[in-house]
């Protein structure tokens, strides 16, 4: 569907009294003259719609399975038009700064402990209180298999944070392009679900605006929490971390004109378009319960009460209340006092490991492994294009 067709469909929906995206999302301050809520990924959307409707996705998934490294040749067996598109987009943008990307990789290595916590328990659970994202995830195929979907999502972050993520020997450019194909398939499939249409406030999911909101729940949120936690970062480190995310969301199909140029701009965008949208939904509550329930399958060395309180500590009591997380005040006290001390010791600001240090350490290591291919792979999880929505949807 073209952008013009989408606009007409949404305008008709508003005229008929249906809920339209423009009426429920904050206006996006942009000097570019375009609105990211109304920008999708037209070329690849058209390609994937044809492949889905033609029953060719399973063969494409089989062909793509061996394509992992950024510098690896495109696999044989891909449709010619898809291969041509991938050949064109499977590269860094001209403005990518290799030195900054390498510095970001080193920063990720040095701060990986905090990143595991913030991406996993912060951004991961926050996604369940972003209504559009929660509904889209729940009613798509991935919503019915949350551990597998969490593993795939973690693969995106893992490949992004890996030492050679953007180098020829790395995997992130390929991971981003596979994710972009998944998004295109979901944009075609979800509007066919009457269950999704009944609760959605948009006619087509995963616009540039939606991807930017997700970025703010990841990169912007993590950067802000690192500063709140007084994790030492140089200005060059912060700039490199932002640049990594700028390249990442470009690779996901976000137009360069929408990508924040500074952390100040990112923070302002986040306050404008992420914070006002946060709210509980039935779909999000179920997804959060599924995600937090995964920990029962692997011993994280902590109680469920500790896990619930860590989510509250990272996100807020308001979010914890939205998700119905039972309180554990003893665990809350341990986290409030122990986590800052844990950070201080890891950063060399305390000479002796504080009480609870090994509990936090074990918890973080187990949490990281939990989402790597259901706890069985230390490296990656295959990303596959869906052929349908949630069973029964």
């Amino acid at each position: 569907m073209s952008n013009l067709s989408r606009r007409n469909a949404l305008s008709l929906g508003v005229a008929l009294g249906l809920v339209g995206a423009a009426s429920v999302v904050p206006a996006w301050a942009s000097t570019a003259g375009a609105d990211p809520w109304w920008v999708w990924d037209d070329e690849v959307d058209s390609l994937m719609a044809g492949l889905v409707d033609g029953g060719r996705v399973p063969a494409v998934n089989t062909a793509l399975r061996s394509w992992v490294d950024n510098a690896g040749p495109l696999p044989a067996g891909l449709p010619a038009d898809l291969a041509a598109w991938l050949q064109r987009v499977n590269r860094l943008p001209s403005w990518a700064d290799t030195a900054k990307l390498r510095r970001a990789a080193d920063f990720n290595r040095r701060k990986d402990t905090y990143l595991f916590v913030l991406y996993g328990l912060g951004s991961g659970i926050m996604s369940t209180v972003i209504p559009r994202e929660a509904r889209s995830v729940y009613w798509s195929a991935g919503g019915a298999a949350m551990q597998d979907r969490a593993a795939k999502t973690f693969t995106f972050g893992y490949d992004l944070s890996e030492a050679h993520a953007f180098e020829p020997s790395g995997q992130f450019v390929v991971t981003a392009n596979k994710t972009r194909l998944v998004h295109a398939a979901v944009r075609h499939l979800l509007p066919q679900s009457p269950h999704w249409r009944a609760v959605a406030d948009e006619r087509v999911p995963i616009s540039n605006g939606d991807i930017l909101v997700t970025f703010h729940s990841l990169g912007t949120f993590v950067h802000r929490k690192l500063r709140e936690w007084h994790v030492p970062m140089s200005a060059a480190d912060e700039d490199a971390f932002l640049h990594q995310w700028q390249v990442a969301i470009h690779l996901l199909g976000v137009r360069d004109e929408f990508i924040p140029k500074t952390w100040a701009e990112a923070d302002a965008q986040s306050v404008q378009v992420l914070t006002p949208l946060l709210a509980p939904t039935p779909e999000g509550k179920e997804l959060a319960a599924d995600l937090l329930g995964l920990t029962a399958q692997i011993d994280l060395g902590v109680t469920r009460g500790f896990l619930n309180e860590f989510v509250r500590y990272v996100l807020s009591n308001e979010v914890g209340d939205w998700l119905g997380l039972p309180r554990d005040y003893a665990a809350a006290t341990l986290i409030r006092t122990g986590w800052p001390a844990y950070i201080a010791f890891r950063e060399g600001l305390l000479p002796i490991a504080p009480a609870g240090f090994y509990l936090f350490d074990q918890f973080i290591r187990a949490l990281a492994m939990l989402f790597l291919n259901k706890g069985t792979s230390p490296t990656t999880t295959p990303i596959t294009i869906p052929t349908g929505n949630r069973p029964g949807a």
Side-chain angles (χ1 to χ4, degrees), residues 42 105 118 139 207 226 241 255 259 279 345 349 352 361 375 382:
D42 290 345
L118 289 171
W139 291 110
S207 67
L226 291 175
F241 186 64
R255 291 186 187 176
I259 298 174
F345 178 74
L349 303 176
I352 301 174
D361 222 35

Side-chain angles (χ1 to χ4, degrees), residues 20 60 68 72 92 95 101 106 123 126 131 152 230 240 311 314 334 337:
V60 170
V68 176
L92 297 178
W95 46 264
L101 293 175
D106 182 63
S123 304
M126 189 193 300
K152 289 178 170 61
H230 304 292
V311 171
V314 171
L334 172 61
T337 58

Side-chain angles (χ1 to χ4, degrees), residues 256-311:
D256 290 351
E257 66 213 58
F258 301 137
I259 298 174
K261 297 177 178 59
T262 65
W263 279 123
E265 187 178 333
D267 285 330
Q269 266 190 18
S270 181
V271 169
Q272 178 190 2
V273 301
L274 171 64
T275 306
L277 295 180
L278 297 179
T281 62
E283 293 88 354
K285 289 179 181 179
E286 187 169 332
L287 294 177
D290 287 346
L291 285 170
L292 293 172
L294 295 178
T295 59
Q297 301 177 35
I298 296 179
D299 180 15
L300 301 188
V302 300
T303 66
R304 177 60 185 267
F306 181 94
L307 181 65
N308 290 345
E309 290 297 339
F310 217 110
V311 171

Side-chain angles (χ1 to χ4, degrees), residues 136-157:
S136 292
V137 169
Y138 184 86
W139 291 110
S140 66
M146 279 307 292
Q147 185 161 353
D148 183 66
R149 186 186 185 281
K152 289 178 170 61
T153 302
F154 199 93
T155 290
F156 185 90

Side-chain angles (χ1 to χ4, degrees), residues 60-85:
V60 170
N61 280 330
T62 299
L64 289 176
R65 193 172 298 139
S66 63
W67 188 46
V68 176
D69 293 338
N70 296 336
L74 284 174
L78 292 175
D81 49 1
L82 178 60
W85 182 82

Side-chain angles (χ1 to χ4, degrees), residues 111-384:
K111 309 301 180 184
D112 62 355
T113 296
Y114 319 122
L115 297 181
F116 279 135
V117 170
L118 289 171
Y119 286 143
L121 291 184
S123 304
I125 303 302
M126 189 193 300
S127 71
T128 70
V129 293
I130 301 174
R132 282 187 170 186
E133 186 166 347
R135 289 166 177 149
S136 292
V137 169
Y138 184 86
W139 291 110
S140 66
M146 279 307 292
Q147 185 161 353
D148 183 66
R149 186 186 185 281
K152 289 178 170 61
T153 302
F154 199 93
T155 290
F156 185 90
Y158 183 91
D159 288 350
L160 174 62
S161 300
E162 203 268 331
H164 305 289
F166 296 94
E167 306 281 347
S169 60
Q171 299 179 357
F172 181 75
V173 180
V174 169
T175 293
N177 280 310
K178 288 184 178 181
T179 302
R180 196 169 171 182
L181 295 179
V182 170
H183 286 171
V186 170
R187 277 191 288 267
H188 180 62
L189 289 165
L190 263 186
Q192 301 175 38
S193 165
H195 299 277
W196 179 79
R197 292 199 306 269
V199 297
D201 58 30
E202 55 188 341
R203 301 271 68 83
V204 180
I206 321 179
S207 67
N208 268 204
D210 292 319
I211 295 173
L212 283 161
V213 167
T214 299
F215 154 66
H216 290 307
S217 75
L218 289 157
T220 307
F221 166 75
V222 168
H223 175 254
R224 186 166 59 248
K225 294 302 289 190
L226 291 175
R227 298 193 73 175
E228 286 179 11
W229 288 352
H230 304 292
V231 174
M233 297 182 290
S234 68
D237 284 340
E238 294 183 66
D239 187 43
F241 186 64
L242 174 62
H243 189 66
Q244 161 199 269
W245 274 105
Q246 290 169 327
V247 174
I249 55 181
H250 166 92
L251 292 173
L252 288 179
V254 174
R255 291 186 187 176
D256 290 351
E257 66 213 58
F258 301 137
I259 298 174
K261 297 177 178 59
T262 65
W263 279 123
E265 187 178 333
D267 285 330
Q269 266 190 18
S270 181
V271 169
Q272 178 190 2
V273 301
L274 171 64
T275 306
L277 295 180
L278 297 179
T281 62
E283 293 88 354
K285 289 179 181 179
E286 187 169 332
L287 294 177
D290 287 346
L291 285 170
L292 293 172
L294 295 178
T295 59
Q297 301 177 35
I298 296 179
D299 180 15
L300 301 188
V302 300
T303 66
R304 177 60 185 267
F306 181 94
L307 181 65
N308 290 345
E309 290 297 339
F310 217 110
V311 171
R312 287 176 174 273
Y313 179 74
V314 171
L315 290 180
S316 75
N317 281 325
E318 182 178 31
V319 170
D321 291 343
W322 286 347
L323 298 176
L325 303 182
R327 298 305 310 259
D328 183 330
Y329 293 102
T333 299
L334 172 61
I335 293 165
R336 281 199 308 271
T337 58
W339 184 247
Y342 175 83
I343 292 174
F345 178 74
R346 285 191 60 89
E347 297 298 330
L349 303 176
L350 284 181
I352 301 174
F357 175 85
Y358 295 105
L359 172 67
F360 287 113
D361 222 35
Q362 179 185 359
F363 171 61
I364 293 162
R365 292 176 188 277
L367 181 70
M369 286 305 302
L370 173 65
F371 296 112
L372 288 175
N373 201 14
K374 303 181 182 180
T376 63
S377 170
T379 53
T380 191
T381 296
I383 294 175
T384 53

